[in-house]
Amino acid sequence: MAWSVQLLNPDYDDCKALLYGEWDLNGIAAIDAVSHAFVVPGMRQEQESNSEWQNKVELPKVWSNDGCKIALIPFRYQTFDGPDRISRDTGDWLSIADVGSQVNEYCVRDRQLGGSHPAGHTRQLTIFIYQPRSSQDRQIQDDINNNRIPAMVAFDVNFHSDDSVGDDMEDLLDEFADIFDIKENVDHPSPRRDWDDFIGYSRVGKSDPRVKNLGDSWMVEFDEVTSMLPVDRASAGLIAFYKHVVNDTSALLANDTAPVQNLVFSLHGLSLQLTSTGPIPWEWIIRFARAMSQSTISRWPVLYRAKAKNAYWNVALISAVLAVASSSPKGS
């Protein structure tokens, strides 16, 4: 669960603007759509892929506006019998922003406090939300001005090397691939709607791998999933498809087109049908397409039947079906 800290109160809307920007088209979430290595200056490449290392981001990263500051910092693990260890991780901006969104909702909006939560693919980073001119702001800025690395302190009682973390992630991804290599419907109970289950797992919900966190309390549950092979070729096609969805939807939003309850996006033999009992916000479609594109970048190209629910607000459920065009359902 995100822990809250007694800070001067950040502003919820200002923090949301830093995370997602206007119409979900900018902000931290939309910096780019690639996976990065997040390291402190002086670190050398270890478990990161060549692509992640080429796109490395040096920590700390700080974003600010009048009412909010957000910092992405590492952990500083203190050990009983050796030097401190600074963490490192890989990740993408959308997933990191989604963790920040949960902190913004749970701490800033609901409790009028700042807060933080682990982020990154192996949760070895911290996204920290606080108010400008607070004591935390002064401390972080003082560290930066004096060439120190701001970090969240933790005690490393059970020390393990970065290599073992990488091995654990490989095992998780192998298990993840096995779970989704199915062709039939799968029945499963709706997951518990609490923070421990969902926060920080935009790619795969740890307690239920058929759940995706879209941020702002939106959870997508996959009822049927079909893997697409070969992975590289399928991924390239799906990334182009979701980019088409984002571009078309952005144009509709910019033109003030009224949202509708049913619509279909088609490109290169793929068809995405979205249906609901109420108008589907264009902003939600952009967020959904970007999140699914990020999953595809993470080597999860799939066709699916899914439903999106909001764990906080009482709003209409949204159904999503991605299929090959020859078997896709007709729009109403």
Side-chain angles (χ1 to χ4, degrees):
M1 183 177 293
W3 57 264
S4 300
V5 291
Q6 293 288 344
L7 312 177
L8 295 172
N9 297 343
D11 182 82
Y12 170 79
D13 290 330
D14 283 344
C15 294
K16 187 174 181 180
L18 289 178
L19 291 165
Y20 296 112
E22 185 178 10
W23 300 342
D24 290 346
L25 294 177
N26 45 44
I28 296 172
I31 291 175
D32 57 42
V34 301
S35 185
H36 297 269
F38 290 93
V39 295
V40 300
M43 283 185 171
R44 296 186 177 184
Q45 183 177 2
E46 293 184 0
Q47 76 272 21
E48 301 89 359
S49 69
N50 289 335
S51 175
E52 289 168 335
W53 191 253
Q54 289 171 1
N55 292 290
K56 71 177 179 180
V57 175
E58 291 192 337
L59 301 173
K61 295 292 292 184
V62 179
W63 301 265
S64 65
N65 55 25
D66 289 342
C68 182
K69 275 198 168 184
I70 298 177
L72 184 66
I73 58 178
F75 283 99
R76 180 185 299 277
Y77 288 105
Q78 296 183 345
T79 61
F80 295 107
D81 56 358
D84 292 353
R85 180 174 64 90
I86 300 296
S87 68
R88 61 197 296 156
D89 210 338
T90 57
D92 60 85
W93 291 116
L94 178 60
S95 297
I96 289 169
D98 285 346
V99 177
S101 176
Q102 301 300 344
V103 176
N104 195 33
E105 292 177 10
Y106 183 77
C107 298
V108 178
R109 182 182 64 189
D110 293 350
R111 300 187 177 187
Q112 287 77 54
L113 299 169
S116 72
H117 196 276
H121 287 166
T122 61
R123 299 164 70 86
Q124 292 298 302
L125 308 174
T126 296
I127 188 164
F128 188 27
I129 296 181
Y130 54 102
Q131 198 206 31
R133 300 170 298 281
S134 63
S135 60
Q136 284 74 20
D137 184 17
R138 291 192 293 272
Q139 179 179 338
I140 290 175
Q141 196 57 51
D142 183 65
D143 283 340
I144 294 173
N145 292 341
N146 289 281
N147 297 317
R148 297 190 297 263
I149 301 299
M152 187 68 66
V153 175
F155 290 98
D156 198 356
V157 179
N158 298 308
F159 176 79
H160 53 256
S161 69
D162 289 339
D163 289 340
S164 67
V165 173
D167 293 340
D168 290 343
M169 281 305 296
E170 289 181 5
D171 293 341
L172 175 62
L173 292 175
D174 288 341
E175 179 183 352
F176 179 57
D178 291 340
I179 290 171
F180 281 102
D181 191 17
I182 57 176
K183 298 294 189 292
E184 68 278 1
N185 288 343
V186 290
D187 296 325
H188 59 281
S190 298
R192 288 186 300 115
R193 293 184 178 181
D194 63 21
W195 300 99
D196 291 333
D197 281 350
F198 302 124
I199 191 164
Y201 290 94
S202 294
R203 280 189 169 77
V204 48
K206 192 171 184 179
S207 62
D208 186 339
R210 290 175 292 270
V211 176
K212 172 175 282 294
N213 180 352
L214 297 185
D216 276 353
S217 298
W218 279 100
M219 307 297 169
V220 180
E221 300 175 38
F222 295 91
D223 298 318
E224 178 182 342
V225 179
T226 302
S227 299
M228 300 175 69
L229 299 172
V231 171
D232 291 341
R233 183 176 176 184
S235 296
L238 275 178
I239 291 169
F241 176 81
Y242 287 121
K243 182 177 181 181
H244 163 74
V245 173
V246 169
N247 290 342
D248 275 13
T249 307
S250 299
L252 293 168
L253 179 60
N255 291 330
D256 292 326
T257 306
V260 296
Q261 297 179 1
N262 303 280
L263 68 162
V264 177
F265 297 91
S266 298
L267 181 72
H268 298 159
L270 291 173
S271 175
L272 173 65
Q273 181 168 5
L274 301 174
T275 59
S276 180
T277 57
I280 304 173
W282 302 126
E283 297 91 341
W284 184 91
I285 298 173
I286 292 170
R287 174 173 295 184
F288 176 76
R290 281 190 164 151
M292 294 308 299
S293 180
Q294 288 296 139
S295 290
T296 303
I297 292 171
S298 301
R299 300 180 66 80
W300 187 47
V302 293
L303 306 176
Y304 51 81
R305 292 180 178 274
K307 54 183 177 289
K309 300 177 180 179
N310 195 288
Y312 193 92
W313 302 106
N314 184 22
V315 295
L317 179 146
I318 301 173
S319 297
V321 178
L322 179 68
V324 294
S326 59
S327 61
S328 61
K330 295 181 179 179
S332 55

